[in-house]
Amino acid sequence: MRRYFTIKGILSPWSRRDAAQDESSPLIPKVSSAKEDVEELGDVTTESHEAGPNKGQDNSPVSAGIQPHYIYSFMDYILKYFLILSNLMFTVLGLVVLVLGMWGLISKRSFAQEKIGSIGTDPMLVFLTLGFVLTMLCLSGCVGALRENSTLLKLFSAALLALIIAQVLTAIVVYSLQVQVGDYLRSGMLAAMVHYQDDLDLRFITDEIQSNLQCCGADNYRDWELNIYYNCSAPGVLACGVPATCCVDPLENGTVWNSQCGLGAQLLDEFSAQSVIFLGGCLGGMSRWIEQHEGLIGTVGVVLLGVQIWLPVTVMLPLTTRDN
């Protein structure tokens, strides 16, 4: 009998062992030594055979109080604390994103009565939603692993699996509707250019795209004519110009940012303008960047998807085994 329990414990790390019912735990229970468990089982078995007429039926409090539990390996401890630390880290990240989104909405007074109608298109709302979802999801996983709460762990696994399905469906839709997605990006880029001077968030995003991709406008630099300040009929100094992030050398070989380097760029022909600003649009720059880094993008996507699949599987496997 002792040899049987020893072999069973080696082959199956999630196998059940004997302990009191109030000592059971979803992940790492408080257990006694294997020798004491076997001896206790032997005593109960002996008492059962000596019970008299009720053979095989022992209703004594001793046998009723013995319930199966598990002995976990060192890897199980690593799994528990890995779940705690990783979810704690992403919970803090989610809180940072949540605070950033809330700060952006408050600083721009997006909750004011005159702006509340357009809050749905505010980029800060994306940060707010993403931060809230990430915080609640990772907090449930962190607390569930810390307190060894099977309900929270199951909720965490179910939410993560739903998130994985949503990501896979999104990737399929984006791949199958590339033309429509391109049109949507173009419309969004043009809308950001129209409101470039009015929305600080859109200005920041547009400047980052143009600076990093070395592009100007959606299709070309003349798209900036859509902006009322950069339109050639505008009365201001920015008329027929482009933002400084379109310039080839906005520092002009110095250390001070020249915000007027793109003035009058739309009046130049392409041959003359190419030495001052970037002529190509950002949509083409995005396509080229994706083509150049498609291997890296695919690798990162597979790794992230694998980690997301691995987490709920490793959580649900022991929970399912315990329920059986």
Side-chain angles (χ1 to χ4, degrees):
M1 177 67 71
R2 183 173 311 215
R3 181 180 178 186
Y4 167 75
F5 278 98
T6 303
I7 296 176
K8 185 177 180 182
I10 295 175
L11 294 181
S12 179
W14 306 109
S15 59
R16 302 190 175 189
R17 307 298 295 271
D18 300 322
Q21 185 177 7
D22 58 357
E23 294 180 351
S24 60
S25 174
L27 285 180
I28 304 175
K30 294 79 180 175
V31 300
S32 58
S33 63
K35 182 177 180 180
E36 294 176 353
D37 293 343
V38 175
E39 291 177 354
E40 187 177 0
L41 276 178
D43 295 340
V44 174
T45 304
T46 303
E47 294 177 3
S48 176
H49 284 291
E50 294 176 355
N54 297 328
K55 295 183 180 181
Q57 298 180 0
D58 187 2
N59 298 324
S60 63
V62 176
S63 62
I66 298 178
Q67 298 293 335
H69 71 85
Y70 316 91
I71 292 181
Y72 288 91
S73 66
F74 179 70
M75 290 301 299
D76 300 320
Y77 286 86
I78 294 179
L79 171 62
K80 174 183 176 179
Y81 291 107
F82 172 77
L83 285 173
I84 294 174
L85 293 177
S86 60
N87 281 286
L88 180 62
M89 179 182 65
F90 282 104
T91 299
V92 174
L93 178 61
L95 287 174
V96 172
V97 176
L98 179 63
V99 171
L100 178 63
M102 183 61 68
W103 173 80
L105 291 175
I106 294 176
S107 63
K108 296 191 304 180
R109 299 181 179 179
S110 299
F111 296 106
Q113 185 175 1
E114 62 273 10
K115 294 183 178 181
I116 195 68
S118 60
I119 193 174
T121 59
D122 197 311
M124 287 294 105
L125 193 62
V126 177
F127 289 92
L128 187 67
T129 305
L130 179 62
F132 177 78
V133 173
L134 186 62
T135 300
M136 297 305 297
L137 175 62
C138 296
L139 187 62
S140 65
C142 181
V143 175
L146 181 64
R147 302 295 299 172
E148 301 178 2
N149 189 303
S150 60
T151 302
L152 285 178
L153 290 175
K154 290 178 180 180
L155 177 64
F156 168 74
S157 301
L160 199 56
L161 287 174
L163 184 62
I164 293 171
I165 295 175
Q167 293 177 37
V168 172
L169 292 177
T170 301
I172 295 174
V173 171
V174 170
Y175 182 79
S176 59
L177 301 176
Q178 297 183 38
V179 177
Q180 291 83 345
V181 172
D183 294 338
Y184 178 78
L185 288 176
R186 184 176 184 275
S187 301
M189 186 73 182
L190 293 176
M193 293 169 60
V194 170
H195 301 284
Y196 178 80
Q197 299 288 352
D198 305 323
D199 195 310
L200 296 178
D201 295 326
L202 294 178
R203 180 190 299 185
F204 173 78
I205 295 173
T206 303
D207 286 341
E208 287 297 311
I209 293 175
Q210 292 189 151
S211 299
N212 295 324
L213 296 181
Q214 297 183 347
C215 57
C216 188
D219 298 314
N220 55 64
Y221 68 101
R222 297 192 182 277
D223 290 336
W224 279 105
E225 192 173 356
L226 295 173
N227 187 282
I228 59 174
Y229 298 97
Y230 291 108
N231 189 283
C232 290
S233 60
V237 67
L238 298 178
C240 278
V242 295
T245 50
C246 288
C247 296
V248 176
D249 186 15
L251 299 179
E252 295 185 352
N253 299 321
T255 57
V256 180
W257 182 270
N258 182 10
S259 59
Q260 298 182 348
C261 62
L263 296 183
Q266 295 185 49
L267 297 175
L268 302 175
D269 58 84
E270 293 187 0
F271 181 79
S272 301
Q274 65 182 351
S275 61
V276 180
I277 62 173
F278 301 112
L279 303 182
C282 293
L283 294 179
M286 291 179 186
S287 300
R288 289 189 298 270
W289 187 89
I290 293 175
E291 292 176 359
Q292 293 172 0
H293 301 84
E294 58 183 5
L296 178 62
I297 296 174
T299 302
V300 172
V302 171
V303 171
L304 291 178
L305 186 62
V307 171
Q308 294 179 74
I309 294 176
W310 178 78
L311 282 175
V313 169
T314 52
V315 171
M316 292 303 297
L317 180 61
L319 293 177
T320 304
T321 306
R322 287 188 205 99
D323 295 338
N324 295 332

